[in-house]
Amino acid sequence: MITAEYCSSLFLSTIELYHTSDDINTPCPVSNSSSIHDILIRKSWIDTIQWHLEDIIRRPGLDANKFIETKKRIDTSNQERTDLVEKIDDWFMEQFVDVILIEHPRLNTETPAWTIDRLSILMLKIFHMREQTQRLDATAEHLALCGLKYDILLSQKLDLSQSINSFISELFEGRAQMKLYKQMKMYNDPSTNPQLYLK
């Protein structure tokens, strides 16, 4: 069974691997396989690169062409991220196919994959906030404030991990029900975005 601890450890090692080069053009280290291990790594890799793209696009004086290029890349990254979240949910659905539900099982507002998506982003926040607490060029006030934020993020990780583990356990026990609602992003679809079909 997938646990929050397994995911967070995998996410952290992926984030650390990315930062050995710290280059947004570094290719993902795993192939496009269907194993849940590789899918989770690819998810974290996309999140990590997008984190840095979001930093870049906020750079003062960024060249207009570079801004447009970066924004398009973020949009593409968002779609890839959504696709991978749905792959993770597809994997979970396969795990629960033989589970017998109790009468009136609980229905969660998020699927397992979207809760794991939140954990992936949280691990990025933790990694980068820890970096802020170790800056040699920052003021004591900055270091102290980031230290407080870092502690809050660690507490949030504990709470989120417990929630994820409980939810997955309930799904395996049939006490919770999983439903998939595929993301229907209209702006990426040439048939539903008026700016694309009203040419």
Side-chain angles (χ1 to χ4, degrees):
M1 180 172 70
I2 292 289
T3 64
E5 291 73 22
Y6 169 80
C7 292
S8 59
S9 175
L10 195 59
F11 294 154
L12 180 58
S13 63
T14 303
I15 294 165
E16 290 173 339
L17 178 61
Y18 168 84
H19 282 89
T20 58
S21 65
D22 202 7
D23 180 354
I24 58 172
N25 297 310
T26 305
C28 183
V30 296
S31 62
N32 193 22
S33 77
S34 59
S35 78
I36 189 62
H37 179 85
D38 287 356
I39 292 173
L40 288 168
I41 290 175
R42 295 206 311 274
K43 170 73 174 64
S44 178
W45 195 264
I46 286 173
D47 291 342
T48 304
I49 288 178
Q50 184 163 335
W51 178 283
H52 292 86
L53 290 171
E54 296 284 3
D55 281 347
I56 290 169
I57 205 168
R58 287 164 175 77
R59 187 185 300 161
L62 185 65
D63 176 76
N65 289 331
K66 183 68 174 177
F67 180 92
I68 293 169
E69 172 194 327
T70 305
K71 179 64 172 72
K72 286 183 176 179
R73 189 164 174 184
I74 289 171
D75 288 345
T76 301
S77 175
N78 270 324
Q79 187 60 57
E80 291 173 349
R81 169 176 165 260
T82 299
D83 292 343
L84 280 175
V85 170
E86 292 184 347
K87 282 184 183 294
I88 296 169
D89 268 335
D90 288 341
W91 181 87
F92 272 110
M93 284 295 283
E94 291 177 8
Q95 309 309 303
F96 305 139
V97 69
D98 295 324
V99 170
I100 299 173
L101 297 175
I102 66 168
E103 188 176 3
H104 308 303
R106 183 175 71 83
L107 185 60
N108 209 50
T109 57
E110 288 181 306
T111 63
W114 282 110
T115 61
I116 290 171
D117 170 73
R118 289 169 56 203
L119 183 61
S120 174
I121 304 303
L122 182 59
M123 292 309 298
L124 278 162
K125 291 180 181 179
I126 288 171
F127 180 90
H128 288 96
M129 192 61 73
R130 184 179 61 197
E131 276 189 333
Q132 290 298 312
T133 68
Q134 299 167 346
R135 278 177 56 188
L136 300 178
D137 63 336
T139 65
E141 289 177 341
H142 177 85
L143 297 176
L145 179 59
C146 289
L148 290 173
K149 290 180 178 180
Y150 180 68
D151 289 341
I152 292 171
L153 289 170
L154 291 179
S155 177
Q156 187 179 353
K157 175 180 175 254
L158 180 62
D159 292 342
L160 180 57
S161 296
Q162 290 175 345
S163 178
I164 289 171
N165 288 339
S166 295
F167 179 37
I168 292 174
S169 292
E170 287 182 33
L171 288 165
F172 272 109
E173 295 163 4
R175 294 187 292 120
Q177 181 180 10
M178 180 177 170
K179 283 187 176 182
L180 290 183
Y181 300 98
K182 297 290 185 180
Q183 295 296 302
M184 301 175 207
K185 292 189 175 180
M186 300 177 69
Y187 49 75
N188 284 338
D189 187 341
S191 68
T192 55
N193 180 341
Q195 296 298 320
L196 299 178
Y197 65 76
L198 294 178
K199 295 182 181 178

